[in-house]
Amino acid sequence: MLMHNPPHPGEVIRELCIEPLGLSVTDVAKALGISRKTLSNILNGHAGISPEMAVRLSIAFNTTSESWLNQQLHHDLWFAEKERKKLKVKKLVA
Amino acid sequence: MLMHNPPHPGEVIRELCIEPLGLSVTDVAKALGISRKTLSNILNGHAGISPEMAVRLSIAFNTTSESWLNQQLHHDLWFAEKERKKLKVKKLVA
DNA sequence: TAAATTGTAACCCATAACGTTACTGGTTAC
DNA sequence: GTAACCAGTAACGTTATGGGTTACAATTTA
């Protein structure tokens, strides 16, 4: 499964949370209680969503932390699955 | 949500994958292509399931990588959510 | 008794999540 | 046009985590 390259959660934050509200990155970083650099890294795909960050996002944008971590999961897994064939693993169950 | 403390994925691996098959930790580590210490750390809850490890488990035990990472997600989130009230975050959406 | 198994301590390395400070370039406002 | 704001990011440090090797102690099994 997981057929298409899932967007990194930063894109979703920007397009669905920040831009519609007309907020600045600086203001959102302050609201989240993190540095502007940390938020910028997330928005531009240079950092992932940590469990704590998922909770912060869920508070600020009135969502669930699980949904944010799930997006990160699918993004990480898409890259990990690309390397599946390169892993030297023996099947223990048919 | 997430009412009860979810078990760490290591417990699940031991109880649902290793013990039923009568395998040794040493043998499973070799099959997974990782060190015995790394597997031991996972089994005893001293390390989490990385995306790559989820893919290894999915190959060895004929499961999905997503299911393993999802268990890790819920485990991590359970601890992160416990700190929710301590986070200084301002609501941007009602 | 001898061999195998397991947990783990001690050490290494690489990566990642956070922070601060500071620079640069682009927009907006006056 | 100049001052203010805004965003990306480079450079630095700290802390934590995943992974490896080696080695030891305790237990189990043959």
Side-chain angles (χ1 to χ4, degrees):
Chain A
M1 305 313 148
L2 292 168
M3 303 311 294
H4 56 305
N5 186 341
H8 63 265
E11 287 184 56
V12 179
I13 297 172
R14 195 194 295 272
E15 294 170 12
L16 265 58
C17 299
I18 300 183
E19 288 182 349
L21 296 174
L23 299 168
S24 76
V25 174
T26 304
D27 287 341
V28 172
K30 285 178 186 168
L32 290 171
I34 63 177
S35 72
R36 183 171 64 86
K37 171 180 172 55
T38 296
L39 178 56
S40 178
N41 280 342
I42 292 171
L43 294 181
N44 295 286
H46 302 311
I49 307 289
S50 66
E52 183 186 299
M53 196 63 65
V55 176
R56 289 182 188 273
L57 291 168
S58 74
I59 297 171
F61 297 112
N62 195 29
T63 54
T64 66
S65 55
E66 190 178 359
S67 68
W68 292 111
L69 262 198
N70 242 315
Q71 289 180 48
Q72 188 63 51
L73 180 154
H74 286 101
H75 187 254
D76 292 344
L77 209 44
W78 191 80
F79 289 96
E81 283 288 355
K82 287 204 301 181
E83 310 297 315
R84 167 177 284 265
K85 287 166 297 187
K86 300 176 188 171
L87 299 178
K88 305 274 180 56
V89 179
K90 293 173 189 161
K91 298 182 183 178
L92 295 171
V93 173
Chain B
M1 306 314 147
L2 291 169
M3 304 310 293
H4 56 304
N5 186 342
H8 64 265
E11 288 184 56
V12 180
I13 296 173
R14 195 194 296 272
E15 295 170 11
L16 267 56
C17 299
I18 299 183
E19 288 181 349
L21 296 175
L23 299 168
S24 76
V25 174
T26 304
D27 288 341
V28 172
K30 286 179 187 169
L32 290 171
I34 63 177
S35 74
R36 184 171 64 84
K37 172 182 169 56
T38 296
L39 179 56
S40 179
N41 280 342
I42 292 171
L43 294 180
N44 294 286
H46 301 311
I49 307 289
S50 67
E52 182 186 299
M53 196 63 67
V55 176
R56 290 182 189 274
L57 291 168
S58 73
I59 297 172
F61 298 112
N62 196 28
T63 54
T64 66
S65 55
E66 190 177 0
S67 69
W68 292 111
L69 262 198
N70 242 317
Q71 289 180 48
Q72 189 63 51
L73 180 153
H74 286 100
H75 187 254
D76 292 343
L77 210 44
W78 191 80
F79 289 96
E81 283 288 355
K82 288 203 301 181
E83 309 297 315
R84 166 177 284 264
K85 288 167 296 187
K86 299 176 188 171
L87 299 178
K88 306 272 181 56
V89 180
K90 292 173 190 163
K91 297 182 185 180
L92 295 172
V93 173

